[in-house]
Amino acid sequence: MTSTTATNIPPPLEATPAPYYSYWGDPGETPGVDVPTEEATAENTNDDSPMQCGTCTDIDDEEAKKYECAVCFEFMDTPVGCGSCQTRFCRPCLERVANQGGARPKCSHCRAPFTLESIQVDEALQEEMNNCMETVLCPFRGCGKRVPINAIKLHEAQCDHIKMKCKFNEWGCEWIGKKLDLEHHDNHECEFRNEMGRLVNTIREKTLNQTETIARLQGTRVNQMVNTHTRQLLMIRGRNAGNVFDVLAMSYEATCFPGRLAAAKEMWGNMIAHDHPRALVYNVLLVLPLFVCISKCSFWMAIDLSNMAPQHIYRVGLYGMIQHFHVNIVASSAAGLAVFCMIADGGDATHWTEMHVQGTGISYPFMRDIVALGFYVCYFLFVDFMEYWPGIVLLLCTFSFTVTYSSCVASILEKVNGSEEGTLKKNRMWPSVVFALRYACLFQICWVPFEAVKGVIVLRLVKHLSLKHFKLNFTVEETECFLSVIPPSILVVFGAAVTALDHVAIGNGVVKDWSAAFYAWGTGAATLAFLNVFTHTLYLCGQGTGDAIYFEGTNLRNHSNERLQTYNLLPSQRPVYTGINYCVDDNTRKEQESTALDSSSAFIRDASLPSLDLRAESND
């Protein structure tokens, strides 16, 4: 620490009055006869003979006692009372009693509770003391002067016979004497008057400078901490579950550092503490891959439109460019319609608003189905834009990532907040997005649209039959949207209509025979059943992955904290590591030694522990 050029000079040392008992005698000593005035000279300034109070000279004892404080037994300067009794005190004495009395201070005489606000000045007694001209003897030995009661306090502050302590008392000088002998002591007797005094002043200056420097550094540190906490508070308040970047940052924290997220979950309280913001997080994670796909198509379309050179048009083809432009426009319009419906719904992020149809008594979430169909059109056209097989592969990858990552993050957040499981399936975007992904894959994998329709009819009929007989379930019922409300009779009518179309197609030679038609029924149903099982599998994989990531992260953090706490113990208090766990108890140690590794394995394991700690620190 560099010293400053300007040195702070502390105030000069001053002598202070000695304690009251130093001029009355020992504590508890009863004052005796005062020293006569003619004997109170400089020769007997160190006389320690007892003295009389002085209230027995020109004023009688009974009259003098009413001017004395009931606490310090000195003449009062400003007489005050507690408000409950007639006893009077010095204002400083009664205020000291109030400050030291705790929550309910009590009067030292009547024991009645009082406060600083209830202290009252006795104006009549104050005026009586001011007008009283009767004199009392100065209480300091050797003085002998008689002073009016109204001037006794002023005389005590100026009396030369008051006993003083040397100004270097706290540095080791034990001299206590009268005020009139103080100058002689300072100039001739005090051992701190020369070099020692200068050393004391130097030490006081250094101490003052260090104290001010420490205070300044502490103030700077406090300001830095306040600024840091203010920025963190603003960051916490500024985090929004509807902000894509905040959701991505939180999901990255959850999947990569779950232990740190669990330890500092207050930092993300606005996003994960309640059901509504947590549902917004899930909605963003489910919808974001779709808009990434649409943005990719729009970017490629912008590149095609910006490059209208003949060789580029010849390579892509005019029909291909028109098709790309048409697909991009339709997909963007469908996405815009879905976004408009999400905004117009105006309900909670956890569910869709059911709209009432006048005159029918029917309530149904129409916006959910419109959003699901809009997302379906976007995913379906994305495959057309990317060409068939590359589009199918990218669509399945998008399907896998959307369901797995969303369920993984949902599982981690459920563990962090201690909430119930399955919250992802209860927010409103889950049925719409999963419906769009499943049926976009179905209608693209099936070459003929009627083949996909046949699969939907078969599985819906199996669903209705299995509820009554076999309890089979090949559908993701919470994501079926409007298909879940279609009654079996309507499905039978649609099945009959499709069969009639197959008959017409066989008659026209479009379909080879009835075996090919029934094969299409089976292929569509098998494809849809596979996609449903695929959805279940992806969801369960995401849940399992989230559980594993959370427990591994928290266990690693707890293990690191245990190791740090262990290093702070004495060697004799540190636990012994066995093959099972840390243990301190001898019986537990003996039970676990049977399963401990051999000495070489233990040595290798102990050698690898520091690297584990480093990983834990980096993970935190």
Side-chain angles (χ1 to χ4, degrees), residues 179-413:
K179 187 177 181 179
L180 55 87
D181 297 331
L182 181 62
E183 183 178 358
H184 180 269
H185 168 76
D186 290 341
N187 297 330
H188 300 90
E189 298 177 357
C190 184
E191 58 183 0
F192 291 90
R193 63 184 182 276
N194 296 322
E195 288 78 6
M196 292 293 290
R198 288 192 292 269
L199 178 60
V200 168
N201 290 328
T202 303
I203 294 176
R204 292 178 65 238
E205 292 177 0
K206 298 294 184 181
T207 304
L208 179 62
N209 291 331
Q210 291 179 358
T211 302
E212 293 184 351
T213 303
I214 292 174
R216 185 172 61 255
L217 293 177
Q218 289 178 345
T220 304
R221 179 59 177 168
V222 169
N223 292 333
Q224 292 176 353
M225 293 176 62
V226 169
N227 294 333
T228 302
H229 292 167
T230 303
R231 288 194 299 268
Q232 291 178 352
L233 182 60
L234 294 176
M235 187 182 301
I236 293 173
R237 293 179 177 177
R239 285 182 175 134
N240 183 12
N243 190 332
V244 176
F245 298 103
D246 290 340
V247 172
L248 292 177
M250 190 275 300
S251 61
Y252 169 76
E253 192 83 8
T255 53
C256 296
F257 307 105
R260 187 167 66 187
L261 178 66
K265 62 180 181 181
E266 293 82 5
M267 297 289 294
W268 306 91
N270 290 345
M271 299 179 63
I272 64 178
H274 305 288
D275 294 338
H276 178 71
R278 200 161 55 242
L280 283 177
V281 172
Y282 300 155
N283 293 340
V284 172
L285 293 177
L286 289 169
V287 176
L288 185 61
L290 171 65
F291 287 96
V292 171
C293 296
I294 296 176
S295 300
K296 182 178 181 180
C297 297
S298 301
F299 178 73
W300 284 2
M301 188 63 213
I303 292 178
D304 291 339
L305 294 178
S306 62
N307 189 4
M308 301 298 292
Q311 59 273 19
H312 178 72
I313 297 177
Y314 177 77
R315 184 177 66 254
V316 178
L318 182 61
Y319 175 76
M321 293 189 63
I322 295 175
Q323 183 183 10
H324 286 179
F325 182 76
H326 174 262
V327 167
N328 192 23
I329 292 297
V330 175
S332 301
S333 301
L337 177 63
V339 172
F340 174 77
C341 292
M342 287 189 291
I343 298 175
D345 180 74
D348 193 5
T350 57
H351 62 276
W352 293 96
T353 302
E354 294 186 356
M355 299 182 178
H356 300 277
V357 181
Q358 295 181 357
T360 61
I362 299 176
S363 298
Y364 188 76
F366 293 100
M367 292 297 182
R368 179 197 64 185
D369 295 345
I370 296 175
V371 172
L373 291 176
F375 288 168
Y376 161 77
V377 171
C378 294
Y379 279 122
F380 184 86
L381 295 179
F382 174 71
V383 177
D384 288 345
F385 189 89
M386 297 296 298
E387 298 181 356
Y388 185 72
W389 286 112
I392 290 291
V393 173
L394 287 177
L395 182 59
L396 290 175
C397 292
T398 304
F399 192 177
S400 303
F401 174 79
T402 302
V403 177
T404 305
Y405 189 72
S406 300
S407 59
C408 176
V409 175
S411 176
I412 295 174
L413 296 185

Side-chain angles (χ1 to χ4, degrees), residues 10 17 81 115 123 141 185 188 233 249 321 389 393 417 423 425 444-445 464 508 541 552:
T115 60
E123 301 290 348
R141 273 177 277 186
H185 168 76
H188 300 90
L233 182 60
M321 293 189 63
W389 286 112
V393 173
N417 290 284
T423 54
K425 293 184 178 181
Q444 284 292 350
I445 293 175
H464 288 290
N508 294 332
C541 288
E552 182 66 23

Side-chain angles (χ1 to χ4, degrees), residues 439-498:
Y439 286 101
C441 290
L442 174 66
F443 278 85
Q444 284 292 350
I445 293 175
C446 298
W447 288 87
V448 182
F450 279 112
E451 186 176 340
V453 174
K454 293 175 183 178
V456 174
I457 294 174
V458 170
L459 285 194
R460 293 307 307 169
L461 289 174
V462 170
K463 171 66 179 178
H464 288 290
L465 293 175
S466 63
L467 287 177
K468 297 180 180 180
H469 300 288
F470 304 107
K471 302 297 180 183
L472 299 176
N473 186 8
F474 293 102
T475 61
V476 187
E477 193 62 23
E478 71 274 4
T479 65
E480 291 293 340
C481 294
F482 60 90
L483 295 179
S484 61
V485 298
I486 299 178
S489 57
I490 302 297
L491 293 174
V492 172
V493 172
F494 274 110
V498 173

Side-chain angles (χ1 to χ4, degrees), residues 59 62-69 74-77 90 125 128-129 132 134 149:
I59 186 172
E62 295 299 329
E63 188 177 357
K65 285 183 179 180
K66 68 178 181 180
Y67 301 137
E68 293 179 357
C69 172
E74 294 186 16
F75 290 109
M76 297 177 289
D77 186 14
C90 301
L125 184 59
E128 181 180 348
M129 291 179 61
C132 181
E134 296 180 351
I149 291 178

